Amino acid sequence: MTAESEKAPVAVDSRSGVPDWLRRGATLNELWTFVILLALVVFFTIAAPGKFFTTYDITQIAVNAAIYLVLGVGMTFVIITAGIDLSIGSVLVLAAVAAGEFNIHHGGPASGWGTVALCVVIALAVGTAWGALQGVVVASGKVPPLIVTLGGLGAALGIAELATGGQDPAGASSTHLQNSLGFGKLLGIPWMVVLAAVVTAVFGAVLAATRFGDHTLAIGSNPTAVRRAGIPVGRHLVKVYGLMGLLAGLGAVMWLASYGTTSIAGHSTDNLKVITAVVLGGTSLFGGRGSVLGTVIGVFIPAVLTTGLIVIGVQQYWQDVAVGVVLVVAVYVDQMRRKTRERA
């Protein structure tokens, strides 16, 4: 990070004596979200005794949620600025295709660690560049983020399809990458989960305890006042969207490690799942409020919901309906909370 990311002086709420970063990290929103998550776990455990919430289920839920958690961290920053990024699934695909094509032409599945490292760099660079480009258009072109990222969704996916002929190329991932990050474990915990936890902890601290986090929250609350205070709003938005792209690139690496393929057609609903998780976690679509902790809890609600519905035998298509309904309810609740605060 730049000098903006240096730790800001620790502010303390004079009424409670609690540091601001801690108060921002855990609020009533996160508590209610956790209650919802707990209720889902209890419901499916009762509905399918002995079949749900087993050690295997917990591990699979955590692994399946890991990529969405990484994407959700980036989306949290974007939505806090009162923005949105619909392109994350396509950016993930584009980054995976770029890294996968390099791997194919430099050893394929048998490629060495040097190639693996370069593939990781390529995926991160492609994601960051695409995200930053969208940030530039949002910041300097004054185009609504919804439109910019909707266009980015189609463009990124189109480039990926042109590069591959619309087919998932064989040999896109190294065996080394799959055996380590994809299937490896640290003290019994899958590396995918460990990586997602590290990303969450790092950027949770960035949001809660640095100037970069302060500026992100302030821009979402009142961008005009932030400009008057001398903070370069446009430059900060480029960084935020670049961060989203960086984490989409990391998501591409994790996907290649887990599945060994680019799955070009498999990410059309990633944006819906991630936005649902972030909003469920208490981040306001109107900007200015949110936390990474809330996103962590929010990510696991659709993950538990999907796994639970599978366990009790609900048809797959109803799972998508359930996630969509959850998103609408979460947005409605957020709007009601906002109106309540305005009346107060």
Side-chain angles (χ1 to χ4, degrees):
M1 295 291 177
T2 63
E4 291 183 26
S5 304
E6 295 175 0
K7 188 172 181 179
V10 177
V12 176
D13 188 330
S14 59
R15 293 166 298 176
S16 63
V18 177
D20 279 352
W21 67 268
L22 183 58
R23 185 164 44 84
R24 290 202 302 254
T27 66
L28 190 59
N29 294 322
E30 285 78 4
L31 177 60
W32 279 113
T33 307
F34 181 74
V35 169
I36 294 171
L37 176 60
L38 187 61
L40 285 174
V41 171
V42 171
F43 171 78
F44 287 120
T45 301
I46 295 173
K51 297 181 180 179
F52 182 77
F53 213 58
T54 62
T55 302
Y56 175 79
D57 282 335
I58 295 171
T59 301
Q60 287 304 114
I61 289 172
V63 170
N64 292 338
I67 295 175
Y68 297 114
L69 180 53
V70 168
L71 296 176
V73 170
M75 187 67 77
T76 301
F77 280 80
V78 171
I79 293 181
I80 283 175
T81 66
I84 199 78
D85 191 346
L86 300 179
S87 70
I88 54 172
S90 295
V91 176
L92 187 155
V93 168
L94 180 61
V97 165
E101 288 291 336
F102 183 86
N103 190 75
I104 290 168
H105 293 92
H106 293 82
S111 59
W113 282 111
T115 299
V116 170
L118 287 173
C119 286
V120 171
V121 171
I122 289 169
L124 297 180
V126 169
T128 302
W130 194 274
L133 176 61
Q134 292 186 147
V136 168
V137 177
V138 169
S140 61
K142 307 301 181 185
V143 183
L146 178 70
I147 302 302
V148 172
T149 59
L150 183 60
L153 181 156
L157 184 59
I159 293 172
E161 290 173 333
L162 286 170
T164 60
Q167 303 296 319
D168 293 311
S173 181
S174 168
T175 302
H176 288 310
L177 180 63
Q178 289 192 273
N179 288 340
S180 54
L181 178 60
F183 309 127
K185 293 183 178 181
L186 175 67
L187 302 176
I189 303 174
W191 273 111
M192 291 279 288
V193 177
V194 173
L195 178 57
V198 170
V199 170
T200 300
V202 169
F203 288 102
V206 168
L207 180 61
T210 70
R211 285 199 177 96
F212 187 87
D214 290 339
H215 293 173
T216 301
L217 289 159
I219 288 171
S221 297
N222 194 333
T224 302
V226 172
R227 287 191 182 91
R228 289 173 179 169
I231 298 172
V233 173
R235 189 185 307 168
H236 191 87
L237 288 175
V238 173
K239 292 177 182 178
V240 168
Y241 282 89
L243 171 62
M244 179 71 260
L246 171 69
L247 295 180
L250 181 57
V253 174
M254 296 169 73
W255 188 272
L256 288 171
S258 294
Y259 302 101
T261 180
T262 52
S263 299
I264 292 175
H267 297 276
S268 59
T269 61
D270 283 2
N271 49 13
L272 172 64
K273 293 175 181 176
V274 172
I275 293 170
T276 299
V278 173
V279 175
L280 275 174
T283 299
S284 174
L285 281 172
F286 301 99
R289 180 169 54 83
S291 73
V292 171
L293 174 60
T295 295
V296 173
I297 303 170
V299 163
F300 280 98
I301 289 179
V304 168
L305 184 62
T306 300
T307 302
L309 291 174
I310 292 172
V311 169
I312 64 176
V314 175
Q315 191 178 18
Q316 179 181 354
Y317 304 115
W318 282 108
Q319 298 166 26
D320 294 332
V321 172
V323 172
V325 170
V326 167
L327 174 60
V328 173
V329 171
V331 173
Y332 176 78
V333 171
D334 178 48
Q335 191 172 27
M336 292 301 99
R337 283 194 303 235
R338 179 170 176 261
K339 288 181 178 179
T340 300
R341 287 196 307 271
E342 288 176 349
R343 291 194 198 103

